[in-house]
């Protein structure tokens, strides 16, 4: 991966947007859409949408081979597997066999190959750069996350109505919210209103 920074801008179909940092590129990828009730958040409608997402930092995988319909389907399958596995781990449940198999299947393909630039001060991905390689790289990152020291820090947002999942990479390990400007502030506002209501009852 080209940089340590993670996070993307998420858009609500009802309007509004906010920056959400899942703490890992593979988890950022898991929030590009979904199935069932999450289909309204879909961003990977066409192969070109997948190519655009992969080309953005920090992965910065500018594809040299066009994405196929099959690769788009594989990307959605991997995305669902990452989502399911992350939620299983956050809930301290055994990982579903289907999610494990899907992640392993994607990881079995050759990953992106880093290549040092001529000047020796920067790097990119060696051509050809294919979507399947990028998906393998994301799957391998997820394997490392699930089997590594941060595995116990995979969490779901503490809000009752927010399913976003992240890995808490902060030093104290005290992150609770998908984003303070979203669910964190909503929680603070609800707590303030509850205190004010209690104060009014006490005064009355």
């Amino acid at each position: 991966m080209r940089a340590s920074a993670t996070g993307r801008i998420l858009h609500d179909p009802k309007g509004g947007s906010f920056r959400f940092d899942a703490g890992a590129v593979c988890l950022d990828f898991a929030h590009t859409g979904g199935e069932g009730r999450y289909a309204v958040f879909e961003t990977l409608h066409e192969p070109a949408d997948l190519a655009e997402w992969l080309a953005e930092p920090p992965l910065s995988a500018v594809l040299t081979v066009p994405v196929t319909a099959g690769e788009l389907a594989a990307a959605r399958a991997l995305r669902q597997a990452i989502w399911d596995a992350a939620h299983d781990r956050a809930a301290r449940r055994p990982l579903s066999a289907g999610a494990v198999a899907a992640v392993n299947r994607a990881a079995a393909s050759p990953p992106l190959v880093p290549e040092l630039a001529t000047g020796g001060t920067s790097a990119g991905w060696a051509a050809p750069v294919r979507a399947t390689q990028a998906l393998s790289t994301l799957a391998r990152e997820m394997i490392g996350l699930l089997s590594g020291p941060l595995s116990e820090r995979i969490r779901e947002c503490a809000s009752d109505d927010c399913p976003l999942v992240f890995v808490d990479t902060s030093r104290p390990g005290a992150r609770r919210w998908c984003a303070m400007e979203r669910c964190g502030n909503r929680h603070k506002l609800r707590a303030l209103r509850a205190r004010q209501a209690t104060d009014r009852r006490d005064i009355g």
Side-chain angles (χ1 to χ4, degrees):
M1 314 233 170
R2 302 302 81 196
S4 59
T6 53
R8 298 290 177 108
I9 300 297
L10 297 188
H11 301 278
D12 191 320
K14 298 179 181 179
S17 61
F18 70 102
R19 181 170 179 79
F20 170 59
D21 184 357
V25 183
C26 58
L27 295 184
D28 283 334
F29 184 63
H31 295 89
T32 59
E35 302 175 356
R37 63 193 179 108
Y38 299 119
V40 294
F41 299 100
E42 185 62 71
T43 61
L44 305 181
H45 301 284
E46 301 176 355
D49 297 328
L50 176 59
E52 182 178 351
W53 194 92
L54 295 173
E56 294 180 9
L59 192 59
S60 303
V62 179
L63 304 184
T64 62
V65 180
V67 180
T68 66
E71 287 173 327
L72 177 59
R76 289 175 174 170
L78 174 61
R79 178 182 67 188
Q80 187 64 43
I82 292 173
W83 173 273
D84 291 343
H87 280 273
D88 283 343
R89 185 52 51 85
R92 303 302 179 253
R93 298 186 298 261
L95 303 189
S96 74
V100 170
V103 171
N104 285 340
R105 185 164 53 250
S109 297
L112 295 167
V113 178
E115 181 179 65
L116 196 61
T118 303
T121 58
S122 62
W125 301 116
V129 181
R130 297 183 172 89
T132 301
Q133 292 174 284
L135 297 178
S136 176
T137 297
L138 292 173
R140 291 174 186 223
E141 183 193 32
M142 186 59 178
I143 290 172
L145 179 59
L146 290 169
S147 61
L150 291 177
S151 177
E152 297 303 312
R153 288 202 181 189
I154 297 176
R155 297 171 185 152
E156 186 176 327
C157 180
S159 177
D160 292 337
D161 58 354
C162 179
L164 299 185
V165 66
F166 57 87
V167 55
D168 182 3
T169 58
S170 68
R171 186 182 296 272
R175 180 178 172 185
R176 297 182 60 201
W177 313 105
C178 59
M180 277 306 301
E181 64 269 28
R182 186 173 183 261
C183 289
N185 282 343
R186 290 175 183 174
H187 173 75
K188 286 183 178 180
L189 182 59
R190 284 193 294 266
L192 175 61
R193 288 173 176 170
R195 287 196 300 270
Q196 291 173 337
T198 299
D199 291 343
R200 285 194 294 268
R201 287 195 297 270
D202 292 342
I203 293 173

